[in-house]
């Protein structure tokens, strides 16, 4: 096979994207610069008297709506708050607890090999004509395993396609499109939901302090993404990409090394036993949560609350449920295959998983202060109120408004790859602004997820892009960055179009996004 040639115009565009993106600072310093910018802006806004009338708060003495004024971050009160409350600002940052708790468990499941083995088992015996949809489905579910989906399933897909007599690059493309382009699609909430909804809550609380995040708030929507992305990836792979690749020419490529046991070979008896034990752990945790929800005392149901809020404790317990599930399933698998010999091995794996979160902790420290200082200055509230009024004046239909959010996010994703960094930047304005218009925080988060996923697979700034290129070059020596980008563009365009249609249709039909998570809200009810 010959390397796919890039048209000159595409090459110039991709080169500009790569050069521009590479000039951006690390996200940590990006947010430090943004903190400097909002400090300067808050001083100017306070001097100019920027203000807005709060749409829901009422002064108890006068009965008039509260006027919110921009506050300088260099005022004595805010300077004191910055230094005195710095530990609290960091430790009370909502995504921090959510992500660290889930990752404590997920680190065990990943390090024992459970995630990798489960993905191998999911695609190993797939029929040839169903190979693409099975690979795509397992890859989207593999997002629960974070990095493991990239380093295990994508090269494995190339091996399986080659063994089935199909082009291995097509398998890599399908798996990459599903893992990265379908980054938010899944059948279950997971680490990403904990991360995004933590930022959503911090942003919503700047205007509506009583609003609480629900980790299952996009559950139905991400199932919808899975259902709609699956046939898209199947069609693009089998009807667009693979015919263009043609038959694989072994002489022109580099055969995959047969001794690479990380992605090849049938499951060993101890791995099969480990999967059975992990399955029993899954059933046990599921049974425990069902018992606590419907059994005597119903500790996960607030029977004293209004009917629509009675399940709130259950939804908020899902972070703990994932932690327990990953720990027990990982431990059960690890004991069966011999990776965990005693409790010290388990503790070490949990400790090592926290080591992997070191960069996230640094980023979270800076982002937490950015979000907090944005709130202290009242710039977020003032801009959200005026932005909501401007959008209300435009009188755009809600589906069109949210489609614009998707497109804007997709474009921004070409330059800022981190899902959390990007959402921390956008959420403080988008979430409260759209809530003031009657669009739920869950719906805004869902629209963001669609845009954040679709263009992952076409930007060289995506952290795994070079790794995917190496996987391709194992099979085709001269496969270049332009070849990979050109191959993934059809997936990106089709998935973006399908995602926008999903958002527009979901809003138009006013379907629930998850349990107790509507598309629309009454802002006055969130005082």
């Amino acid at each position: 096979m010959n390397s796919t040639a890039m048209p000159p115009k595409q090459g110039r565009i991709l080169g500009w994207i790569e050069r521009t993106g590479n000039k951006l600072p690390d996200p940590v310093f990006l947010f430090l610069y943004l903190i400097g910018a909002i400090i300067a802006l808050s001083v100017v806004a306070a001097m100019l008297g920027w203000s807005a009338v709060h749409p829901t708060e009422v002064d108890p003495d006068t009965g008039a709506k509260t006027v919110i004024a921009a506050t300088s971050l260099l005022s004595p009160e805010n300077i004191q708050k910055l230094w005195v409350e710095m530990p609290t600002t960091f430790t009370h940052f909502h995504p921090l607890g959510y992500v660290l708790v889930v990752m404590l468990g997920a680190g065990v499941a990943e390090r024992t090999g459970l995630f990798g083995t489960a993905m191998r088992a999911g695609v190993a015996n797939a029929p040839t004509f169903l190979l693409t949809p099975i690979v795509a489905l397992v890859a989207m579910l593999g997002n629960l395993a974070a990095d493991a989906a990239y380093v295990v399933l994508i090269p494995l897909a190339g091996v399986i396609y080659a063994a089935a007599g199909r082009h291995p690059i097509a398998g890599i493309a399908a798996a990459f499109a599903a893992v990265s382009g379908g980054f938010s699609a899944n059948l279950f909430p997971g680490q990403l939901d904990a991360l995004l909804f933590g930022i959503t809550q911090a942003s919503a609380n700047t205007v509506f302090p009583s609003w609480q995040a629900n980790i299952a708030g996009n559950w139905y929507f991400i199932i919808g993404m899975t259902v709609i992305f699956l046939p898209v990836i199947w069609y693009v792979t089998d009807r667009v990409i693979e015919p263009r690749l043609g038959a694989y020419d072994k002489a022109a490529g580099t055969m995959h090394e047969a001794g690479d046991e990380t992605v090849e070979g049938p499951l060993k008896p101890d791995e099969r036993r480990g999967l059975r034990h992990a399955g029993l752990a899954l059933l046990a945790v599921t049974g425990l949560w069902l018992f606590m929800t419907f059994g005597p005392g119903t500790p996960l149901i607030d029977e004293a609350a209004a009917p629509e809020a009675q399940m709130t404790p259950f939804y908020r317990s899902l972070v703990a449920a994932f932690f327990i599930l990953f720990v027990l399933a990982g431990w059960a698998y690890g004991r069966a295959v011999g990776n965990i010999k005693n409790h010290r091995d388990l503790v070490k794996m949990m400790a090592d998983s926290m080591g992997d979160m070191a960069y996230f902790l640094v980023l979270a420290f800076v982002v937490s202060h950015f979000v907090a200082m944005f709130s202290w200055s009242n710039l977020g509230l003032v801009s959200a109120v005026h932005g909501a009024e401007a959008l209300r004046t435009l009188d755009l239909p809600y589906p069109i408004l949210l489609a614009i959010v998707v497109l804007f996010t997709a474009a921004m994703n070409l330059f800022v790859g981190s899902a959390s960094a990007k959402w921390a930047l956008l959420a403080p304005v988008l979430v409260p602004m759209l809530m003031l218009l009657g669009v739920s925080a869950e719906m805004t988060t869902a629209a963001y997820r669609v845009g954040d996923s679709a263009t992952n697979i076409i930007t060289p700034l995506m952290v795994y892009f070079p790794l995917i290129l190496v996987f391709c070059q194992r099979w085709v020596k001269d496969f270049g960055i332009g070849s990979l980008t050109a191959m993934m563009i059809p997936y990106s365009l089709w998935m973006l179009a399908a995602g926008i249609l999903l958002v527009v249709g979901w809003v138009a039909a006013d379907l629930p996004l998850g349990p107790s998570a509507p598309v629309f809200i009454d802002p006055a009810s969130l005082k």
Side-chain angles (χ1 to χ4, degrees), residues 18 46 61 75 77 85 97 114 119 161-162 170 174 221 228 262 295 297-298 334 346 352 361 418 426 452 455 483 520:
E18 186 170 11
D61 297 326
S75 67
E77 295 81 5
E85 298 185 8
L114 170 59
M119 285 186 285
Y161 269 63
F221 185 82
I228 198 170
T262 62
T298 61
L346 177 69
D352 288 344
L361 291 175
S418 170
L426 296 176
D452 174 61
T455 51
S483 304
F520 301 109

Side-chain angles (χ1 to χ4, degrees), residues 81-145:
K81 187 182 296 185
L82 172 64
W83 302 128
V84 173
E85 298 185 8
M86 183 171 283
T88 304
T89 301
F90 178 41
T91 58
H92 286 198
F93 187 48
H94 292 290
L96 189 63
Y98 287 3
V99 174
L100 293 183
V101 168
V102 174
M103 284 305 299
L104 269 174
V108 175
E110 182 176 358
R111 280 167 173 75
T112 58
L114 170 59
F115 286 149
T117 301
M119 285 186 285
R120 287 168 57 204
V123 300
N125 299 312
T128 301
F129 77 99
L130 290 178
L131 195 53
T132 300
I134 292 175
V135 165
L137 178 60
V138 174
M140 284 188 277
L141 295 179
N143 280 317
L144 292 172

Side-chain angles (χ1 to χ4, degrees), residues 52-58 64-68 206-208 381-382 384-386 388-389 392 432-433 435-438 522-527:
V53 178
H54 199 290
T56 59
E57 284 187 2
V58 176
K65 288 187 176 180
T66 305
V67 175
I68 306 297
T206 61
V207 180
F208 302 100
L381 179 54
V382 172
V385 170
H386 288 302
E389 288 299 324
R392 189 176 286 112
M433 180 172 68
M435 288 179 78
L436 291 170
L437 288 177
D522 177 10
S525 67
L526 297 175
K527 292 180 180 179

Side-chain angles (χ1 to χ4, degrees), residues 1 247-255 475-477:
M1 174 195 154
Y248 175 62
D249 182 1
K250 295 182 180 180
T254 302
M255 289 299 294
W475 299 96
V476 179
K477 298 176 190 175

